[in-house]
Amino acid sequence: MRIEDPKIVAVLPELGVQLNPSASLAGLTSLGIGGTTDLLRIHKHEAIPDLLNLLDAQDVPHKFLGGGSNLLVGDGELPWIVLQLVSPEPDIVLEGNFAQVDAAADLGRTVTFCAKNDLGGMEGLIGVPGTVGGALRMNAGAYGMQIGSYVREVKLYRAAARKLETLQGDQISFEYRHTSFAPDDMMLAVKLELPSKPYPEILKGIRICNEKRRASQPLGQKSAGCIFKNPPGASAGRMIDELGLKGLSVGDARVSDRHANFFVNAGKASAKDMLALIADVRERVQKSSGVILEYEVVVWNR
Ligand code: EPU
């Protein structure tokens, strides 16, 4: 979708918003799949209410993009524009055991920056691609930890109320790959409280998690991490593997040979290919076990 309304185009620089016309979402997602649309890069949180009022007044549909690492975007010219935060400098500020982190900050860099300052707890998240905002929205976790455990405060734009708000940690519920945020809430910043730990000890934990991840996940390939959530008490990856579906393909979309809950783009996969593969695997699992796997990957398809 192109922003053609001159009223909007003229106001963007005043709001500190940069327009990247016809951006390729394939280039902005870890799956490397997705069509094109106009991208608005937001430099100041304070500009968001005015920007969104403007877009709504002109009926411009929009979506918020984090790091694009858990996302499957449709093909072709997309019927909405995309908004993305630009990380400020610095994007992480420490004070005692608290880390104030911008939502656009890279998650891995946040884990290592905190570690170097003797703040631990997030070792399991090393190697999880994406932004802190994206991790927060879905309560990303691995190796027995989840980011929600450390959240004390979240600054967000509440689309329903059309304003910036700050929520305390106890006002938010964090469950397995799920939070109480509304789908159109936009994460802006988070205050984490992290346990003190000497850097060498944190580094040991980071190395162990890195090794486990390297041994079991297709890290060098284009993927969106796990496609499905684990059903209670089971592993979606194991269930798919046990059906012998590793290597199953639709076009260049392929069930990873290394971890069956990772579906990789082995070349020039389209969203159509990937969606067909996901639907096929889901149906086969349902037929064999009766379990309907729930999507973990977020799909923006029309
Ligand atoms: N397994 C297989 N075949 C496979 C994959 C896994 O037999 O193809 C078996 C493993 O051998 C193991 C069990 O299934 O016995 C569990 O596998 P794994 O330890 O890889 O954990 P998972 O449940 O498949 C979850 C998260 C990952 C996270 C790892 C490590 C979900 C959907 N997945 O995977 O998170 O990195 O644990 O904590 O919760 C993600 O959310 O995108 C993600 C990658």
Side-chain angles (χ1 to χ4, degrees):
M1 174 175 210
R2 304 303 305 268
I3 300 179
E4 273 151 4
D5 190 326
K7 250 189 253 160
I8 300 180
V9 176
V11 174
L12 294 178
E14 288 166 32
L15 293 175
V17 176
Q18 177 196 334
L19 168 63
N20 286 13
S22 226
S24 160
L25 271 281
L28 294 170
T29 56
S30 58
L31 258 178
I33 293 177
T36 52
T37 191
D38 280 0
L39 171 72
L40 294 183
R41 307 214 343 122
I42 302 168
H43 289 263
K44 292 183 296 189
H45 295 166
E46 292 63 34
I48 294 172
D50 285 347
L51 174 66
L52 292 189
N53 283 335
L54 184 67
L55 295 176
D56 288 345
Q58 307 299 325
D59 284 328
V60 179
H62 48 266
K63 293 187 183 287
F64 303 124
L65 177 67
S69 59
N70 187 44
L71 186 61
L72 170 55
V73 181
D75 303 310
E77 183 66 26
L78 301 163
W80 22 260
I81 63 158
V82 167
L83 315 181
Q84 192 177 36
L85 294 176
V86 176
S87 210
E89 257 315 315
D91 52 1
I92 311 168
V93 176
L94 302 181
E95 203 185 316
N97 284 73
F98 294 101
Q100 184 71 40
V101 191
D102 193 85
D106 178 75
L107 180 62
R109 210 181 67 74
T110 302
V111 174
T112 47
F113 181 87
C114 292
K116 283 179 185 161
N117 286 280
D118 300 320
L119 293 176
M122 296 197 291
E123 293 84 333
L125 289 176
I126 202 73
V128 175
T131 60
V132 167
L136 185 63
R137 155 162 291 292
M138 67 175 290
N139 191 20
Y143 305 113
M145 62 78 54
Q146 52 183 32
I147 192 167
S149 315
Y150 302 105
V151 172
R152 296 295 169 262
E153 211 174 84
V154 173
K155 183 179 165 198
L156 73 170
Y157 172 75
R158 283 240 130 135
R162 292 177 176 266
K163 59 178 188 186
L164 304 179
E165 281 183 19
T166 299
L167 297 179
Q168 300 306 306
D170 59 10
Q171 294 176 279
I172 309 161
S173 79
F174 291 99
E175 290 148 45
Y176 166 64
R177 302 293 193 273
H178 180 79
T179 59
S180 53
F181 297 115
D184 54 2
D185 282 345
M186 187 178 190
M187 307 294 112
L188 302 179
V190 60
K191 188 188 209 179
L192 301 168
E193 185 178 7
L194 300 167
S196 297
K197 244 193 215 182
Y199 179 49
E201 207 180 297
I202 303 173
L203 199 57
K204 235 187 251 168
I206 285 179
R207 288 199 173 126
I208 292 170
C209 292
N210 265 337
E211 242 159 68
K212 282 193 196 163
R213 208 179 280 282
R214 258 198 301 273
S216 63
Q217 300 180 0
L219 299 189
Q221 287 179 283
K222 290 181 184 167
S223 84
C226 285
I227 288 288
F228 300 109
K229 293 183 185 182
N230 283 338
S235 157
R238 180 185 283 148
M239 292 167 83
I240 300 167
D241 191 2
E242 281 173 355
L243 291 178
L245 302 181
K246 279 183 169 167
L248 183 72
S249 304
V250 176
D252 279 337
R254 182 183 168 90
V255 177
S256 161
D257 295 311
R258 182 162 285 214
H259 193 299
N261 198 10
F262 280 65
F263 293 12
V264 300
N265 173 4
K268 290 195 168 139
S270 63
K272 197 166 165 249
D273 295 336
M274 192 54 83
L275 286 166
L277 183 65
I278 294 172
D280 186 9
V281 169
R282 199 164 180 243
E283 204 178 304
R284 291 181 195 230
V285 169
Q286 189 185 355
K287 260 193 197 139
S288 84
S289 64
V291 174
I292 302 176
L293 292 175
E294 204 184 312
Y295 283 36
E296 175 174 312
V297 68
V298 174
V299 179
W300 287 357
N301 192 30
R302 302 289 127 188

